[in-house]
Amino acid sequence: MASILQTNTAALPVLTINAQTGTTYTLVVGDKDKMVQASNAAAITVTVPPSVFSANDQVHVVQTGAGQVSFAQGSGVTITSTGATASAPSLRVQYSACDIICTGSNTFTIVGDLV
């Protein structure tokens, strides 16, 4: 009997980290498929800009500092999430993470450890 299991020999992609230490950051196309590491003692606002990402693009974000990371819609951008404020969610605590997924033209869903 032939084995139905196959071995996947493809290498896993390496996740590149983009460290940000300011209190504001606007995502750029270079953040696609990367981890934006937000670290500051004060609150941090990450803006999702218009006309930068395409459907199915993803950006990962982690809050490594004590300052809470919140997300803002750029002009013409729509954000949906399970956060308390659906269009402007925040990461819950230090070391919380989320994925920002472009679902259509200037439309994004943010999923993860949100409030």
Side-chain angles (χ1 to χ4, degrees):
M1 174 184 257
S3 173
I4 60 172
L5 297 176
Q6 293 182 337
T7 302
N8 183 354
T9 58
L12 294 174
V14 174
L15 186 62
T16 302
I17 295 175
N18 175 1
Q20 295 296 317
T21 58
T23 57
T24 63
Y25 180 68
T26 299
L27 298 174
V28 296
V29 72
D31 292 323
K32 177 184 160 191
D33 298 327
K34 293 189 174 130
M35 173 71 74
V36 174
Q37 186 179 59
S39 181
N40 197 303
I44 302 164
T45 301
V46 174
T47 300
V48 180
S51 306
V52 172
F53 299 100
S54 301
N56 303 316
D57 287 352
Q58 294 183 40
V59 177
H60 314 288
V61 180
V62 63
Q63 174 184 319
T64 56
Q68 186 176 40
V69 174
S70 60
F71 298 92
Q73 303 172 122
S75 179
V77 167
T78 299
I79 291 175
T80 58
S81 76
T82 59
T85 304
S87 62
S90 297
L91 288 174
R92 191 173 58 85
V93 294
Q94 188 173 18
Y95 305 113
S96 291
C98 70
D99 290 320
I100 301 170
I101 304 163
C102 182
T103 57
S105 178
N106 294 328
T107 305
F108 298 83
T109 297
I110 301 179
V111 296
D113 193 12
L114 304 171
V115 292

